[in-house]
Amino acid sequence: LDASLNENRTEIPLLGLRNYWYPAIATWRIRKKPRAISVLGEKIVLFRDNGKIFALADRCSHRGAPLSMGKCLYPGSGTVSCPYHGWTFEGGTGKLVAKLMEGSETPPPARAAVKPYPVQEHAGFVWVFVGDMEPVPFETDLPECITDRSQWFSISNWRTYNCNWRLLIDNLSHEQHAPFLHRDSPELLFQPIFKHATRNSTEELEDGRGIGHQATGGVHVTHYPGLGDFPPPQEAWYRVLKPSGRGKDMSEGSEATSKYGIKFRHMNMLPSLALIGRPNGNFFTCRFVTPVGENTTILFNLNLFRRRGSLVALMNSLKWVFWSSWAHDWLFSDQDKFVIERIRPGAEMLSRTDIGLTAWRWFTSTNARRPEAAAAAADPQREKAEASNVQ
Amino acid sequence: LDASLNENRTEIPLLGLRNYWYPAIATWRIRKKPRAISVLGEKIVLFRDNGKIFALADRCSHRGAPLSMGKCLYPGSGTVSCPYHGWTFEGGTGKLVAKLMEGSETPPPARAAVKPYPVQEHAGFVWVFVGDMEPVPFETDLPECITDRSQWFSISNWRTYNCNWRLLIDNLSHEQHAPFLHRDSPELLFQPIFKHATRNSTEELEDGRGIGHQATGGVHVTHYPGLGDFPPPQEAWYRVLKPSGRGKDMSEGSEATSKYGIKFRHMNMLPSLALIGRPNGNFFTCRFVTPVGENTTILFNLNLFRRRGSLVALMNSLKWVFWSSWAHDWLFSDQDKFVIERIRPGAEMLSRTDIGLTAWRWFTSTNARRPEAAAAAADPQREKAEASNVQ
Amino acid sequence: LDASLNENRTEIPLLGLRNYWYPAIATWRIRKKPRAISVLGEKIVLFRDNGKIFALADRCSHRGAPLSMGKCLYPGSGTVSCPYHGWTFEGGTGKLVAKLMEGSETPPPARAAVKPYPVQEHAGFVWVFVGDMEPVPFETDLPECITDRSQWFSISNWRTYNCNWRLLIDNLSHEQHAPFLHRDSPELLFQPIFKHATRNSTEELEDGRGIGHQATGGVHVTHYPGLGDFPPPQEAWYRVLKPSGRGKDMSEGSEATSKYGIKFRHMNMLPSLALIGRPNGNFFTCRFVTPVGENTTILFNLNLFRRRGSLVALMNSLKWVFWSSWAHDWLFSDQDKFVIERIRPGAEMLSRTDIGLTAWRWFTSTNARRPEAAAAAADPQREKAEASNVQ
């Protein structure tokens, strides 16, 4: 089993899954001045004109200067000009519209165009489609609670991780490190204690865009012969404040299920998204993993609150500002960050705690979007792989 | 055309053209204490003894210690001693003359010599010949206005660029980026406005050492449909101070031509030199590009003034100190530096603005000095290349 | 001769000789909190429990997190737990004893063990055996004056070198750089002057663990025709304070020989140790070279004093604190450090000053410990090499 899982992993590309929409940067950081970013290892220039944001490959086709060092010389035209000789490109299409040092008699050649990137502004971020095919509609890649702004509002932040994106998405795939790694996190002082030694089951989401996870059972204390109890007694003091038990699981008649029909409180969706919710169904933390380079990844953290009147919204916001932003998005997440940034390459030995991750790697390897030609060519192999890897 | 030009470029070596004299460092920086430099990727130690400067390969043949960490233990002998065991090498020849830890009975072996580099002091710089053949006479590689110190004096400085030398010499090859990249440079506030959309012609110099460039025509304002004027109106304010037009071209009866017979105000000479003058023929800025390593290049900037009496010399010097050193050698040149240090590798799409650069790459590829054996062997290929690439 | 010596060198591994004991870190730096070190390029975690130190490969077999980021959760059990999911390993054996997130019903699989490293505390340092065989008894790899704590006591320190270990052990192999490189070292102001132009002889130690060096003859001043005297007159001032001559060599009836039977005052022992003593036989400086990575090496410096009563011990200690630690371990050693950290790769041209080093490389290449299978396989080649390389 382990061997086949590790093999699956090698099919997951180092620089991220292509042909998806990714959040790239906070909207407010893009002004008139062009700005350089990287997504999936591709260097992109973003600029804003007439309120609209444009994204182009950040290398002038003429002599290779970065367009991000240039200027939007003609406001309103949606163009950016290279700093070196003024080659001017149209934001939406990447078409070269003028060589400013050569006069306007000759029309610039079509082959001088640079690659344009489909781009969207949503929920406070600029989203970019990086791939080799026509972009899919923007909403296709987002969970409903992000697209439906009438039902949900978000407060967001982001963090740069110095590791490959695969280590970060693994970490967000309902793997059972939390009861161990986060056992002393201040955020948990006022929450029920994590149970450990749970069992996981995983199911494909109805819309086929990802998988949902459920944990069952679990205990609060285990005795390990020759060692002692886990959690160890000397770490038990911080449990004093906590009630035991973590409430019902979503699938077992929680408010999320009964009131809103939400089946899972932990989901993973393609390309690299984790949705983790509260049993009451009114809050999701939605974490987008955007690969930047081989060893750089940005985690875009969208805290999604169900709109339940302005007073509740105010309370939610205040709680986030004065508590969650510090206790969860910073302290709690840093416990993960410090470990996964230091993981050493080499063989893995997957175990029962990794069943969520295993399912996710499997789902990704077999379901990641591919341009149709590639998908067709790969089909025979995929069938063969499915035949020999019955989970 | 583009394809062949790019091919030409690949013949231009990454670490610089060998078998030429290059300025390496300011003369005043070489004292008794040996000093390490790099030229064309070769590590060299320079030291001064009895007023003379010597240059040797900076690696002791014994155990590999840098001679530049050693000392000139025997002043007057023109030798340098390795710091580790005192192997002592003669500056002029590289011959090992003593192993100071072994006594003087046995003559040191001839094969222990290190490579000596021909070296010259001139115009405030130490010049080194790096190559694989007998050095050519020093003057062979310099333009007359540098060698003839009775007619010209120089004020010099230098700047280190974090890029390959080819990007820097390209930038100095009469390519028409100046009216765009430098349009807002303070230096130009008191000079005529650059014309853009000029046409270039290029001619081999009579002595065969380089090429001269001429720009003809050009306009001050162009309208680009769908965009607007270039220069854009919002950048026109700084033109208020400037008279329009930039004076006659040298070849068209300027003072430089009529009084001094200078045909071009912009020349490129082998190995990697740009001579750019004023129409009056009394000033040249002469920029030597010395490759240091793959991504390090030094630009030696010689400001050459025609000797016209001590009062004029004083005025020239004062103007340089209080204005040009800041406005040109620093601010103006930095506009280039910031761009070329950030140029991204990949295919180019050369255009009409690059005709000077194109001619220069062609001239370099076909005329760069080679040891005779290599030259003979390469002849058939060269003929073939000439036949298939008629400009 | 040179060629065969250089060939020998290539047989000496870049990351150090395996299957030996090496000092790794000062004992007092290892407390309860696990600590990461590197020896011979291998990443190791050290931790202390119940007073005992343990060493394991610093990568959890589960998902690759560094065990050095974990904790000793169960004091007294001699285990360390991975920070990510709590996999808990036994220090002495590397055996996985618990997966703290999975309950205790299933026994952890044997194949999940991590590599354990044999470890010892001695003379203020933690020693680690790095190799591919059963560890040899600890004393096997140490000279008697280190193991016999009843006769000797030590004061120690260490220094990190930014170079490969081979350059450092070469430097400690009785090569005759000292009269040159260290001629102006303050430590020598109060010592006899080094003779230079000595001749060396080298002999295998009786126990087969290394070689001993003897220098014979030598002079205080040599005249080099065309240069002058060495040492050069301008550097003679610091000789004023010194008596000439350095006393008898150990083998020629010094106190060390007559009183203690010590035959050599400079020895090299496997794997990478230099023992340098005083003629009176009461002091050795013992320098262990521990390879850390390709370009990082630690020199562990043990100053060994013969126990001759507490007053003498006090005097020895005071002298070390107020003089030798500064004059020798710092200033004198830095003269070497600055040179060997800057040695440039390439061919060597070994000479008479390198006979000690030559003998040491030869001894190392032919006598370094190897697991028996490897040794058997290599025998035919070794015989052949011995036949063709008579020294």
Side-chain angles (χ1 to χ4, degrees):
Chain A
L1 181 71
D2 290 354
S4 70
L5 292 170
N6 286 331
E7 276 167 29
N8 282 350
R9 190 186 195 178
T10 64
E11 293 175 27
I12 302 177
L14 190 65
L15 283 171
L17 302 173
R18 298 178 68 76
N19 304 308
Y20 283 94
W21 287 94
Y22 286 93
I25 193 169
T27 300
W28 60 263
R29 298 178 71 192
I30 306 304
R31 313 234 171 126
K32 239 182 197 154
K33 206 175 137 29
R35 180 182 276 270
I37 62 166
S38 284
V39 185
L40 275 64
E42 305 196 3
K43 295 185 185 303
I44 297 174
V45 54
L46 295 179
F47 62 96
R48 185 190 293 279
D49 192 19
N50 261 348
K52 199 163 158 359
I53 288 183
F54 300 98
L56 296 175
D58 191 16
R59 182 183 183 274
C60 181
S61 52
H62 176 210
R63 296 270 296 280
L67 296 177
S68 53
M69 294 182 70
K71 272 191 190 173
C72 296
L73 275 183
Y74 298 102
S77 69
T79 64
V80 65
S81 298
C82 176
Y84 206 178
H85 303 79
W87 283 29
T88 299
F89 298 89
E90 199 169 72
T93 61
K95 242 181 80 178
L96 176 65
V97 293
K99 301 177 175 180
L100 295 183
M101 281 303 91
E102 296 192 22
S104 56
E105 315 91 58
T106 333
R111 69 195 166 96
V114 297
K115 181 178 180 178
Y117 290 85
V119 64
Q120 289 278 350
E121 283 182 72
H122 189 77
F125 292 109
V126 180
W127 304 69
V128 180
F129 183 87
V130 179
D132 321 293
M133 58 185 271
E134 279 300 297
V136 301
F138 179 55
E139 289 74 18
T140 310
D141 287 351
L142 301 190
E144 193 193 325
C145 56
I146 294 180
T147 45
D148 185 1
R149 307 297 283 173
S150 70
Q151 295 294 312
W152 299 84
F153 72 96
S154 58
I155 307 180
S156 307
N157 55 6
W158 67 93
R159 197 82 192 272
T160 300
Y161 285 63
N162 297 315
C163 66
N164 188 264
W165 75 282
R166 298 182 299 198
L167 295 172
L168 182 48
I169 194 66
D170 279 357
N171 183 257
L172 298 172
S173 298
H174 203 270
E175 60 142 318
Q176 288 165 277
H177 67 269
F180 189 79
L181 179 58
H182 301 302
R183 67 195 183 281
D184 58 357
S185 173
E187 189 190 14
L188 302 184
L189 277 177
F190 306 102
Q191 291 193 12
I193 305 173
F194 276 124
K195 281 178 183 169
H196 61 276
T198 60
R199 300 292 169 258
N200 268 29
S201 75
T202 298
E203 214 173 291
E204 197 167 316
L205 298 180
E206 279 172 22
D207 58 8
R209 284 155 67 177
I211 57 178
H213 304 278
Q214 279 168 335
T216 57
V219 293
H220 287 111
V221 178
T222 310
H223 183 76
Y224 290 88
L227 298 176
D229 287 347
F230 180 83
Q234 78 272 23
E235 296 197 352
W237 64 267
Y238 54 76
R239 298 196 148 204
V240 170
L241 288 172
K242 299 188 198 181
S244 64
R246 200 186 160 95
K248 289 178 229 161
D249 198 75
M250 277 198 192
S251 59
E252 295 162 5
S254 74
E255 211 177 334
T257 317
S258 60
K259 198 160 161 192
Y260 302 114
I262 296 170
K263 195 163 168 198
F264 301 100
R265 50 182 293 205
H266 190 130
M267 291 170 263
N268 284 115
M269 291 174 65
L270 287 170
S272 48
L273 183 161
L275 258 175
I276 303 162
R278 294 252 184 281
N280 60 24
N282 291 321
F283 175 81
F284 274 105
T285 173
C286 175
R287 320 192 88 182
F288 269 92
V289 172
T290 298
V292 172
E294 283 190 23
N295 288 301
T296 314
T297 303
I298 303 181
L299 180 66
F300 289 94
N301 207 35
L302 285 79
N303 296 282
L304 291 156
F305 303 90
R306 196 180 290 273
R307 291 188 197 274
R308 289 179 293 157
S310 42
L311 190 65
V312 177
L314 178 67
M315 296 297 290
N316 284 333
S317 303
L318 288 176
K319 189 190 162 197
W320 185 82
V321 168
F322 291 107
W323 176 246
S324 314
S325 63
W326 176 73
H328 184 270
D329 295 354
W330 184 29
L331 292 188
F332 186 94
S333 291
D334 266 11
Q335 293 184 316
D336 295 305
K337 188 175 194 292
F338 290 170
V339 170
I340 64 177
E341 288 186 344
R342 284 156 188 83
I343 280 183
R344 297 186 161 152
E348 296 177 315
M349 188 168 292
L350 296 183
S351 186
R352 202 151 58 188
T353 48
D354 309 303
I355 284 176
L357 166 161
T358 291
W360 174 243
R361 288 186 190 172
W362 175 257
F363 182 84
T364 301
S365 298
T366 50
N367 293 285
R369 182 178 297 148
R370 290 170 290 174
E372 283 179 76
D379 256 353
Q381 288 172 19
R382 208 199 314 181
E383 272 165 32
K384 195 177 139 203
E386 276 163 359
S388 65
N389 284 285
V390 182
Q391 281 216 83
Chain B
L1 180 71
D2 290 353
S4 70
L5 292 169
N6 286 330
E7 277 168 27
N8 282 350
R9 190 186 196 176
T10 64
E11 294 174 26
I12 302 177
L14 190 65
L15 282 171
L17 301 172
R18 298 178 68 76
N19 304 306
Y20 283 93
W21 287 94
Y22 286 92
I25 193 170
T27 300
W28 60 262
R29 297 178 72 190
I30 306 304
R31 314 236 169 122
K32 239 179 198 157
K33 206 175 137 30
R35 181 182 277 268
I37 62 166
S38 284
V39 186
L40 275 64
E42 304 196 4
K43 294 185 185 302
I44 298 174
V45 54
L46 296 179
F47 62 96
R48 186 191 292 280
D49 191 18
N50 262 348
K52 200 163 157 2
I53 287 183
F54 299 98
L56 294 175
D58 191 16
R59 182 183 183 274
C60 181
S61 52
H62 176 209
R63 296 270 295 280
L67 297 176
S68 53
M69 293 182 71
K71 271 190 189 174
C72 296
L73 274 183
Y74 299 102
S77 69
T79 63
V80 65
S81 297
C82 175
Y84 206 178
H85 304 79
W87 283 28
T88 300
F89 298 89
E90 199 170 72
T93 62
K95 243 181 79 180
L96 176 64
V97 294
K99 300 177 175 180
L100 295 182
M101 281 305 91
E102 296 192 21
S104 56
E105 316 91 58
T106 332
R111 69 194 166 96
V114 296
K115 181 178 180 178
Y117 290 85
V119 64
Q120 289 277 349
E121 284 183 72
H122 188 77
F125 291 109
V126 180
W127 304 69
V128 179
F129 184 87
V130 179
D132 321 293
M133 58 185 273
E134 279 300 296
V136 301
F138 179 54
E139 290 75 16
T140 310
D141 286 351
L142 302 190
E144 195 193 323
C145 56
I146 294 179
T147 45
D148 184 0
R149 307 296 283 173
S150 71
Q151 295 294 312
W152 298 85
F153 73 96
S154 58
I155 307 179
S156 306
N157 54 7
W158 67 92
R159 197 83 193 272
T160 299
Y161 285 63
N162 298 315
C163 65
N164 187 264
W165 76 282
R166 297 183 299 198
L167 295 173
L168 182 49
I169 194 66
D170 280 356
N171 183 257
L172 297 171
S173 297
H174 203 271
E175 61 141 319
Q176 288 165 277
H177 66 268
F180 188 79
L181 178 59
H182 300 303
R183 67 194 183 280
D184 58 358
S185 172
E187 189 191 14
L188 301 184
L189 277 177
F190 306 103
Q191 290 193 13
I193 304 171
F194 276 124
K195 280 176 181 168
H196 62 275
T198 60
R199 301 293 169 257
N200 267 30
S201 76
T202 298
E203 216 172 290
E204 197 168 318
L205 298 180
E206 280 172 21
D207 59 9
R209 285 155 64 178
I211 57 178
H213 304 277
Q214 280 169 334
T216 57
V219 293
H220 287 110
V221 177
T222 310
H223 183 77
Y224 289 87
L227 298 176
D229 287 348
F230 180 84
Q234 79 273 22
E235 296 196 353
W237 64 268
Y238 55 76
R239 298 195 146 203
V240 169
L241 288 172
K242 299 186 197 181
S244 65
R246 200 184 161 97
K248 288 177 231 163
D249 197 74
M250 277 196 190
S251 59
E252 294 162 6
S254 74
E255 214 178 334
T257 317
S258 58
K259 199 162 162 191
Y260 301 114
I262 295 170
K263 198 166 166 196
F264 301 100
R265 50 179 295 206
H266 189 130
M267 289 170 267
N268 284 114
M269 290 174 64
L270 288 169
S272 48
L273 182 161
L275 258 175
I276 303 161
R278 295 253 184 280
N280 59 24
N282 292 321
F283 175 81
F284 272 105
T285 172
C286 174
R287 321 192 88 182
F288 268 92
V289 172
T290 298
V292 171
E294 282 190 23
N295 287 303
T296 315
T297 303
I298 304 181
L299 181 65
F300 289 95
N301 207 35
L302 285 78
N303 296 282
L304 291 157
F305 302 92
R306 196 179 288 275
R307 291 190 197 273
R308 289 180 295 157
S310 43
L311 191 64
V312 177
L314 178 68
M315 297 296 292
N316 283 333
S317 303
L318 288 176
K319 189 190 162 197
W320 185 82
V321 168
F322 291 107
W323 175 246
S324 314
S325 63
W326 176 75
H328 183 270
D329 295 354
W330 185 29
L331 292 188
F332 186 94
S333 290
D334 267 11
Q335 293 185 316
D336 295 305
K337 188 176 194 291
F338 289 170
V339 170
I340 64 177
E341 286 184 344
R342 285 157 187 83
I343 280 182
R344 296 187 160 151
E348 296 178 316
M349 188 167 291
L350 297 183
S351 185
R352 203 151 60 187
T353 48
D354 308 303
I355 283 175
L357 166 162
T358 290
W360 173 243
R361 286 185 190 173
W362 175 256
F363 182 84
T364 299
S365 297
T366 52
N367 292 284
R369 183 179 296 148
R370 287 170 291 174
E372 283 178 76
D379 256 353
Q381 289 172 17
R382 210 201 310 182
E383 273 165 31
K384 194 178 139 203
E386 276 163 0
S388 66
N389 284 286
V390 183
Q391 283 217 80
Chain C
L1 182 71
D2 291 354
S4 70
L5 293 169
N6 287 330
E7 276 167 28
N8 283 349
R9 190 186 196 175
T10 63
E11 293 174 26
I12 302 177
L14 189 64
L15 282 172
L17 301 173
R18 297 178 68 77
N19 304 308
Y20 284 93
W21 287 94
Y22 287 92
I25 193 169
T27 299
W28 60 263
R29 298 178 71 191
I30 306 305
R31 313 236 169 123
K32 239 180 198 159
K33 207 178 136 26
R35 182 183 277 268
I37 62 167
S38 285
V39 185
L40 275 66
E42 305 196 2
K43 295 185 186 302
I44 297 173
V45 55
L46 296 179
F47 62 97
R48 186 191 292 279
D49 191 19
N50 262 347
K52 199 165 158 358
I53 289 183
F54 300 98
L56 295 176
D58 191 16
R59 181 182 184 275
C60 180
S61 53
H62 176 210
R63 296 271 295 279
L67 297 177
S68 54
M69 295 182 70
K71 271 190 189 173
C72 296
L73 274 183
Y74 298 102
S77 68
T79 63
V80 65
S81 298
C82 176
Y84 206 178
H85 303 79
W87 283 28
T88 299
F89 299 89
E90 197 169 71
T93 61
K95 242 181 78 179
L96 176 65
V97 294
K99 301 177 175 180
L100 295 182
M101 281 305 90
E102 297 192 19
S104 55
E105 316 90 59
T106 332
R111 69 193 166 97
V114 297
K115 182 178 179 179
Y117 290 86
V119 65
Q120 289 278 350
E121 283 183 72
H122 188 77
F125 292 109
V126 180
W127 304 68
V128 180
F129 184 87
V130 179
D132 321 293
M133 58 186 271
E134 279 300 297
V136 301
F138 179 55
E139 290 74 18
T140 311
D141 287 351
L142 301 190
E144 194 192 324
C145 56
I146 294 180
T147 44
D148 185 359
R149 307 296 284 172
S150 70
Q151 296 294 312
W152 298 85
F153 73 96
S154 59
I155 308 181
S156 308
N157 55 7
W158 68 92
R159 196 84 192 274
T160 300
Y161 285 64
N162 298 315
C163 65
N164 188 264
W165 75 283
R166 298 183 299 198
L167 295 172
L168 181 50
I169 193 66
D170 280 356
N171 182 258
L172 297 172
S173 299
H174 204 270
E175 61 142 319
Q176 289 166 276
H177 67 268
F180 189 79
L181 178 59
H182 301 302
R183 67 195 183 280
D184 58 358
S185 171
E187 188 190 15
L188 301 184
L189 276 176
F190 306 102
Q191 291 193 12
I193 305 171
F194 277 124
K195 281 176 183 171
H196 62 276
T198 61
R199 300 293 169 258
N200 267 30
S201 76
T202 298
E203 215 172 288
E204 197 167 318
L205 298 180
E206 279 172 21
D207 59 7
R209 284 154 66 178
I211 58 178
H213 305 277
Q214 280 168 335
T216 58
V219 294
H220 288 110
V221 177
T222 310
H223 183 76
Y224 290 88
L227 298 176
D229 287 348
F230 180 84
Q234 78 272 21
E235 296 197 352
W237 65 267
Y238 55 76
R239 298 195 148 206
V240 170
L241 289 172
K242 300 188 198 180
S244 64
R246 200 184 160 96
K248 289 178 229 162
D249 198 75
M250 277 197 192
S251 59
E252 294 162 7
S254 74
E255 213 177 333
T257 317
S258 60
K259 200 161 160 190
Y260 302 114
I262 295 169
K263 199 165 167 197
F264 301 99
R265 50 180 294 206
H266 189 130
M267 289 170 265
N268 284 114
M269 291 174 65
L270 288 169
S272 48
L273 182 161
L275 258 176
I276 303 162
R278 295 253 184 280
N280 59 24
N282 292 322
F283 175 81
F284 273 105
T285 172
C286 175
R287 321 191 88 182
F288 269 92
V289 172
T290 298
V292 172
E294 283 190 23
N295 287 302
T296 314
T297 303
I298 303 181
L299 180 65
F300 289 93
N301 207 36
L302 284 79
N303 297 282
L304 291 157
F305 302 91
R306 195 179 289 274
R307 290 190 199 272
R308 289 179 294 156
S310 43
L311 191 65
V312 177
L314 179 67
M315 298 296 291
N316 283 333
S317 303
L318 288 175
K319 190 189 160 196
W320 186 83
V321 169
F322 291 107
W323 175 245
S324 314
S325 64
W326 176 74
H328 184 269
D329 296 354
W330 184 29
L331 292 188
F332 186 93
S333 291
D334 266 11
Q335 293 184 316
D336 294 306
K337 189 177 194 293
F338 289 170
V339 170
I340 65 178
E341 287 187 344
R342 283 157 188 83
I343 280 183
R344 295 184 163 154
E348 297 178 314
M349 189 168 291
L350 297 182
S351 185
R352 203 151 58 187
T353 48
D354 309 304
I355 283 175
L357 165 161
T358 290
W360 173 243
R361 288 186 190 172
W362 175 256
F363 182 84
T364 301
S365 298
T366 52
N367 293 284
R369 183 178 297 146
R370 287 170 292 174
E372 283 179 76
D379 257 353
Q381 289 171 17
R382 210 201 309 183
E383 272 165 32
K384 194 178 139 202
E386 276 162 359
S388 65
N389 284 285
V390 183
Q391 282 215 82

